[in-house]
Amino acid sequence: MELEAMYQKLGVSPRVYAYGQRVLERLRGRFEEIDQTAEYNQGKVLAAMQENRLAANHFAATTGYGYDDEGRDNLERIYAGVFHTEAALVRPQITCGTHALAVALSANLLPGDELLSPVGAPYDTLEEVIGIRESTCSLKEYGVTYAQADLLPGGGFNFDAIRAAINGRTKLITIQRSKGYATRPTFSVAQIGELIAFCRSVKPDVKIMVDNCYGEFVETAEPSDVGADLVVGSLIKNPGGGLAPIGGYICGTKACVDRCAYRLSAPGLGQEVGANLGLMPALYQGFFLAPTVTAGALKGAIFAANLYEPLGFPCVPGAAEDRHDIIQAVTLGSREAMVAFCKGIQAAAPVDSYVTPEPWAMPGYDSEVIMAAGAFVQGSSIELSADGPIRPPYAVYFQGGLTWQHAKLGILLSLQKLTDAGLVSADYDS
Ligand SMILES: *Cc1c(COP(=O)(O)O)cnc(C)c1O
């Protein structure tokens, strides 16, 4: 068969290919649903582009101060349209997701205020932003305190603890949608809405921010549709569609976003400065592609879980579970298996496919880390990538794939490498 021969040329044996095809047979219905979500979200993006009369002049490069940058301003109106918010700040001067989150937090918290996370510990890089880990220029250094309500053992919200943690100084509540690299569940938009409503019932005027990283376009609604004052994310994840070479976004109420703009540039300047440096075509076109790119990544995550779970490798989320972000954790159980898995992902890449990933002692981590990435944009995690710390339970975190077909190849090749290394004990021939 022609396709099987192509996979063989790419390094996938007929045996692994056949197993993959059997797994896929069972996923047709779910893939159909994902396509429907993408179709709805494609419409949402298109409608916002049409309502804002997107035209070729918006692609023009600006330099210097960037005053009257219509391309930048219209991109922000389009993001606000898609997220159903009053305002948006979207630009290459926001260097990454952590930067966007740091801007949103430091702009909306003043000395004496308290920040609350009602969903347990935040993403690693935010620990230094907040000052949970001692850090120069942290919010803590500026007199902003931090409180945290942990999740219940099953992963649910601990409403009693949240109520007890909210006090007179609680100014902003931060909710992380994706589990990131933790083991808790990712929250659905509906769950986030429930949590927001609860927090508002305790303190009506509290500001609520959602770290939306990895969650954009996975559902038809976003956290801003269920009451968040601010939603924040990275353009080298879902909403950049793989084309944005840099950037972050903050969408929300005008009052909150204005403050973010003043913090990002300078008081008095705000959104008026910030040249687009010729990046508008990539940011617009990436946003246009984002719903279908996210759908491809989502299919890859579901395929990986359904391929590996029956072979005895525990997966989070589980093979049958609903998805609210694009991250898939696969517990491989040994250092050798992690290396083999990552070799497969790397070998499938369009860029750097000939490189062999090796575990290394990455600064800031207490164990060795292995990473596979062969991306057009450095560090982009909407592109096919896998990584994880080399320590029990030896789990890799797998995400992305600009096309479903590429994600499929990467996952099949990972299983091929595991099989070749004799690390798969289950029989998957029938
Ligand atoms: C990736 C991520 C971030 C940080 O984004 P960077 O672009 O890597 O700085 C923050 N929160 C979550 C949940 C993430 O997944």
Side-chain angles (χ1 to χ4, degrees):
M1 210 231 298
E2 208 182 0
L3 196 52
E4 188 184 295
M6 176 53 75
Y7 274 103
Q8 223 170 329
K9 179 177 156 69
L10 292 164
V12 179
S13 69
R15 181 182 173 223
V16 167
Y17 174 75
Y19 173 56
Q21 292 306 99
R22 286 199 301 282
V23 168
L24 268 182
E25 285 297 316
R26 300 195 303 269
L27 296 177
R28 288 231 175 93
R30 289 184 75 185
F31 280 24
E32 183 75 22
E33 277 174 40
I34 290 171
D35 286 335
Q36 272 173 29
T37 301
E39 199 170 341
Y40 180 90
N41 286 330
Q42 184 74 80
K44 193 154 72 165
V45 172
L46 269 171
M49 290 182 167
Q50 292 168 1
E51 281 157 16
N52 288 286
R53 301 176 66 91
L54 180 61
N57 63 294
H58 295 121
F59 304 147
T62 60
T63 56
Y65 293 109
Y67 289 136
D68 303 315
D69 185 335
E70 255 307 305
R72 176 198 66 206
D73 293 350
N74 206 30
L75 180 70
E76 292 178 337
R77 284 191 288 269
I78 288 168
Y79 262 74
V82 166
F83 284 90
H84 304 125
T85 56
E86 291 170 5
L89 185 66
V90 190
R91 44 187 72 199
Q93 285 79 17
I94 303 177
T95 55
C96 62
T98 303
H99 186 200
L101 290 158
V103 167
L105 291 172
S106 54
N108 288 285
L109 287 158
L110 293 173
D113 289 341
E114 186 156 281
L115 168 68
L116 169 67
S117 169
V119 295
Y123 194 74
D124 277 37
T125 56
L126 286 185
E127 292 186 350
E128 283 180 273
V129 171
I130 296 167
I132 300 170
R133 264 187 290 148
E134 222 44 62
S135 187
T136 307
C137 288
S138 68
L139 288 170
K140 185 180 168 190
E141 217 186 58
Y142 286 90
V144 174
T145 57
Y146 171 72
Q148 179 175 311
D150 287 332
L151 295 169
L152 294 169
F157 305 128
N158 187 340
F159 289 112
D160 291 337
I162 296 167
R163 186 186 292 106
I166 295 176
N167 61 54
R169 291 195 301 112
T170 308
K171 174 75 156 296
L172 194 147
I173 291 178
T174 180
I175 301 170
Q176 185 180 309
R177 176 173 176 180
S178 167
K179 66 184 170 304
Y181 299 129
T183 47
R184 65 149 170 99
T186 289
F187 306 122
S188 67
V189 172
Q191 284 174 303
I192 290 172
E194 201 186 313
L195 178 57
I196 291 174
F198 176 79
C199 293
R200 287 252 162 74
S201 77
V202 179
K203 187 164 190 180
D205 63 343
V206 73
K207 300 270 184 298
I208 294 176
M209 180 187 92
V210 174
D211 174 351
N212 207 24
C213 282
Y214 285 130
E216 300 91 350
F217 297 126
V218 171
E219 301 183 35
T220 53
E222 298 291 343
S224 41
D225 294 315
V226 293
D229 294 291
L230 287 164
V231 288
V232 182
S234 163
L235 298 198
I236 63 167
K237 292 180 180 171
N238 308 15
L243 295 187
I246 191 169
Y249 75 88
I250 301 171
C251 295
T253 62
K254 184 162 187 324
C256 286
V257 172
D258 275 352
R259 293 193 66 92
C260 295
Y262 291 128
R263 177 52 67 226
L264 177 67
S265 62
L269 301 182
Q271 246 163 316
E272 304 293 320
V273 297
N276 73 50
L277 305 173
L279 295 176
M280 284 300 113
L283 267 54
Y284 278 114
Q285 200 173 351
F287 198 46
F288 170 73
L289 292 175
T292 51
V293 169
T294 301
L298 212 47
K299 288 176 184 174
I302 291 171
F303 181 57
N306 282 272
L307 197 83
Y308 277 100
E309 205 174 75
L311 303 181
F313 299 102
C315 291
V316 180
E321 263 179 79
D322 278 344
R323 303 287 153 151
H324 307 293
D325 68 12
I326 63 167
I327 303 177
Q328 181 63 53
V330 183
T331 302
L332 295 164
S334 73
R335 174 193 177 96
E336 297 67 42
M338 287 182 76
V339 173
F341 185 101
C342 288
K343 277 184 179 167
I345 298 295
Q346 190 73 41
V351 183
D352 294 336
S353 61
Y354 54 88
V355 166
T356 305
E358 300 279 358
W360 62 301
M362 196 174 153
Y365 287 80
D366 55 3
S367 50
E368 284 185 304
V369 171
I370 187 158
M371 292 185 174
F376 293 99
V377 172
Q378 186 200 99
S380 168
S381 45
I382 187 61
E383 297 190 52
L384 192 66
S385 47
D387 49 72
I390 306 274
R391 62 170 181 236
Y394 300 102
V396 291
Y397 295 85
F398 161 91
Q399 67 266 312
L402 293 186
T403 66
W404 144 243
Q405 288 80 0
H406 179 220
K408 177 181 173 184
L409 173 67
I411 295 154
L412 290 176
L413 265 182
S414 70
L415 180 58
Q416 186 70 56
K417 299 285 183 196
L418 278 162
T419 302
D420 293 348
L423 296 166
V424 183
S425 50
D427 169 22
Y428 55 82
D429 292 311
S430 51

